[in-house]
Amino acid sequence: MKDVDATRLDLRALRDAFGTFPTGVTVVTSLGAGGKPVGFTANSFSSVSLDPPMLLVCPGRFLSSFDVFERCARFAVNILAEGQEDVSNIFAGYKGDRFAKVEWSPDPNGLALIDGAAATFSCRTRQVMPAGDHVVLMGEVEGFSCSKQRGLGYAAGQYFSLGLERAAASAPPPGRHAVAGAIIEHDGRVLLEETPDGLRPPQIISKGGAPVRQALAQHLADAGLSVQIGKAYSIFEDREAGTRFTYFHARASAANAAGLGAYIPISGMGAQRFVTGAHASMLARFELEHATQSFNLYVGDEADGDVHAFEKGS
Ligand SMILES: Cc1cc2nc3c(=O)[nH]c(=O)nc-3n(C[C@H](O)[C@H](O)[C@H](O)COP(=O)(O)O)c2cc1C
């Protein structure tokens, strides 16, 4: 193996290369001066050993709470659950009292355990190893909890939620219909179909069988569109009609509408007439989010729902 001169590595590119490794997201907490809770978001978590039970996490020297973590006798690791992106963002960026912004409870030693976490581990510090601009903080697990929640995912600077993504890609339940559509973007425009009731993205109705994403890809390919279907963008239910709508964010390699409608500029798109209010608010949100290139996944019914943030970078 060749010697590598670290000063010649492109550190931004190295960070991106490290970031391709998909991880979960944790919030690591401890107690600072006067028993004040401190905490930060970390994806450098790893389980290490079952017997004795050990785990590690890597606090950076840049953390305002670094001195606490470097010397702490105990710390806790909270594995965040799907839907806890806001907790992650608070513990990664908020500069005020982070613990006033989330629900948490103390463990027997007073360490903060975040409510609703997928799992929590209360640890006694076993080793703190210097490691460049971070330290490796190794702890022995003294207590833990595990919920039925799925852990929140993180890769390439974005959160992901396997449960939601799987639901979006799955076939509709028996007796239910699923509509799958694509918000197809090309060069600042979106492909929209004109119907007597207003505009809507190209879509298909699936009555079971093939997963909706696959059926949609087939439909667009059959129409002659060269489209890359990306993340789910909006999932909502029309409970009365028993229909689940799933719209994916997609990109076309050319402005070929293939008879499926016309490309309409994204800027000002929110003012168009759409088939339903749910479509209008979805595309108004798309227009806003397109401006910052920070796209969220909406999950809910037609009227209200949660917007799950997929943050750009960190
Ligand atoms: C998904 C994600 C993972 C992170 N992982 C780590 C990590 O493993 N170690 C670390 O020191 N900082 C990590 N950070 C950055 C810290 O959370 C952030 O710098 C910290 O909260 C800043 O706290 P401070 O304002 O108290 O210095 C991560 C941030 C995000 C969004």
Side-chain angles (χ1 to χ4, degrees):
M1 200 161 135
K2 273 201 315 187
D3 279 350
V4 178
D5 177 357
T7 58
R8 274 190 291 145
L9 292 181
D10 174 345
L11 295 186
R12 175 71 232 186
L14 177 62
R15 191 182 142 121
D16 291 347
F18 282 157
T20 61
F21 183 59
T23 65
V25 185
T26 71
V27 167
V28 187
T29 65
S30 191
L31 292 173
K36 192 169 157 277
V38 293
F40 68 101
T41 298
N43 67 343
S44 55
F45 167 84
S46 179
S47 57
V48 175
S49 162
L50 272 179
D51 188 12
M54 286 169 76
L55 57 74
L56 69 78
V57 68
C58 302
R61 294 187 184 277
F62 49 82
L63 294 174
S64 65
S65 52
F66 178 74
D67 291 352
V68 175
F69 285 101
E70 195 189 22
R71 295 199 187 106
C72 65
R74 286 196 160 83
F75 65 97
V77 177
N78 299 271
I79 312 269
L80 296 186
E82 287 188 353
Q84 289 192 308
E85 292 90 337
D86 51 342
V87 177
S88 171
N89 291 337
I90 288 166
F91 280 88
Y94 182 63
K95 297 296 172 203
D97 180 0
R98 295 174 175 178
F99 293 88
K101 296 222 138 214
V102 300
E103 302 289 317
W104 61 278
S105 334
D107 81 353
N109 291 302
L111 295 169
L113 303 179
I114 308 281
D115 291 2
T120 66
F121 304 95
S122 298
C123 304
R124 177 198 292 275
T125 303
R126 285 288 296 262
Q127 234 181 310
V128 182
M129 284 163 282
D133 51 14
H134 285 61
V135 292
V136 179
L137 174 61
M138 185 95 75
E140 180 162 350
V141 180
E142 294 185 316
F144 72 98
S145 72
C146 185
S147 77
K148 292 216 155 48
Q149 310 257 53
R150 280 198 190 83
L152 175 64
Y154 190 76
Q158 294 199 320
Y159 299 111
F160 63 88
S161 301
L162 278 182
L164 297 175
E165 309 262 317
R166 279 193 196 134
S170 65
R176 306 282 294 275
H177 291 181
V179 169
I183 304 177
I184 304 173
E185 189 187 334
H186 179 74
D187 204 14
R189 290 162 182 265
V190 160
L191 179 57
L192 294 172
E193 269 177 37
E194 192 140 1
T195 77
D197 298 325
L199 297 171
R200 69 167 190 220
Q203 63 182 44
I204 50 138
I205 300 179
S206 147
K207 294 189 177 141
V212 290
R213 187 191 180 105
Q214 214 171 304
L216 177 68
Q218 192 62 51
H219 170 71
L220 298 174
D222 289 349
L225 281 179
S226 170
V227 165
Q228 218 190 343
I229 300 182
K231 280 183 183 299
Y233 184 70
S234 195
I235 306 171
F236 51 90
E237 303 271 340
D238 178 341
R239 297 213 167 85
E240 254 169 53
T243 304
R244 184 178 71 204
F245 293 84
T246 307
Y247 287 95
F248 295 89
H249 187 178
R251 290 181 204 276
S253 55
N256 164 26
L260 287 183
Y263 277 93
I264 296 201
I266 294 171
S267 162
M269 182 174 66
Q272 301 274 355
R273 191 168 75 95
F274 291 97
V275 278
T276 67
H279 288 84
S281 54
M282 173 174 76
L283 288 152
R285 178 167 69 86
F286 188 84
E287 179 183 344
L288 278 177
E289 293 178 352
H290 186 266
T292 55
Q293 289 290 302
S294 176
F295 296 102
N296 295 311
L297 170 62
Y298 170 95
V299 184
D301 60 23
E302 284 172 310
D304 58 12
D306 297 327
V307 175
H308 294 264
F310 288 107
E311 290 281 309
K312 285 205 323 167
S314 71

